Every structure is written in structure tokens, then in C-alpha cells.
Amino acid sequence: MADLKIAIYEAGAISDREIQWMKDCLDRYGINDVTARFLLDINNLLSGTVPEAFAELFRSTLSTFVLGNDRIISDEMWTWLKENLLKDDIIDGLERQLLDELRQAAAKMPAEMTTFAV
């Protein structure tokens, strides 16, 4: 994954082939802290200009990871998400979309999340 991140950084863009590779890996191995941070980092590298295929992968994968099976966003998960969203000190449009989707889908979330980056 580090090589892919470097290639995307150097190109300043992500290809359909790279997005498909990420989907295949996520389907095969699932999502965890490392892969979730990887997607957040890729979004930061692309500076808010991402293809729709990546945007969909980003939103769906991170929503699944953050919500879990119970659809409850714990204080710990919120802290993790907020810290990773703020790595570049910017909440871009795709990250706002993710937050909106999480707020709509969550059965319960920390109070701070209801107004963060609204």
C-alpha cells in the first residue's frame, strides 16, 4: 500500500485500475484501522479532486468501518475519525459527505459529531 500511496502522490491522481485494486483488496481482506487510514490519506493527497469511483469507495468503506454492525459511533471511534480527518487541517467536500452519511445512518453518536463541520 505504501508503494501505491507514493505512486498516487507522484501522479497527483488516481487511476481506475488503482481504485479497482483497492476494491479488490478490501473485498478480499476487509477494512481495518490501517486500510481506513490509507483511504483518508489518499483523499488528502488528492486535495479534494477525486473521481466518483474513489468517492464512492471512500464513503462506503469508511461508513462501514466507523458504524460497525451496531451503527453506534463510540467516543473512541469519533476521536479516531476526527483526528484522521483533521490530519491536513481541512475538511473537504468528500469528508463532509462522509460525515453527513454517518450522521444520517448512526443510531447513536457523540454529541460533538452532530455539529462538527456542518
Side-chain angles (χ1 to χ4, degrees):
M1 286 194 321
D3 290 343
L4 179 58
K5 193 185 297 186
I6 290 168
I8 293 168
Y9 172 74
E10 288 173 348
I14 189 168
S15 70
D16 291 339
R17 192 183 97 244
E18 291 164 334
I19 295 168
Q20 187 59 51
W21 181 84
M22 286 183 221
K23 285 180 185 177
D24 293 345
C25 286
L26 289 166
D27 288 345
R28 184 173 300 143
Y29 302 109
I31 181 81
N32 60 33
D33 181 71
V34 172
T35 51
R37 270 189 273 133
F38 174 78
L39 289 173
L40 287 157
D41 288 347
I42 295 300
N43 183 58
N44 288 342
L45 288 174
L46 297 174
S47 302
T49 55
V50 298
E52 185 53 38
F54 177 79
E56 174 56 34
L57 177 66
F58 179 89
R59 288 189 308 265
S60 65
T61 303
L62 289 169
S63 290
T64 298
F65 180 70
V66 171
L67 289 169
N69 292 331
D70 59 5
R71 305 190 83 66
I72 294 173
I73 302 172
S74 67
D75 291 340
E76 294 80 16
M77 180 57 77
W78 170 238
T79 298
W80 176 90
L81 179 61
K82 184 172 63 170
E83 287 172 356
N84 281 284
L85 289 173
L86 291 172
K87 273 185 183 177
D88 64 350
D89 297 320
I90 297 169
I91 304 296
D92 67 29
L94 181 55
E95 293 165 341
R96 286 180 196 281
Q97 290 174 13
L98 171 65
L99 288 167
D100 289 344
E101 288 182 21
L102 290 170
R103 284 190 279 263
Q104 291 175 19
K108 184 178 177 185
M109 71 188 86
E112 178 191 19
M113 190 175 170
T114 61
T115 58
F116 182 82
V118 177

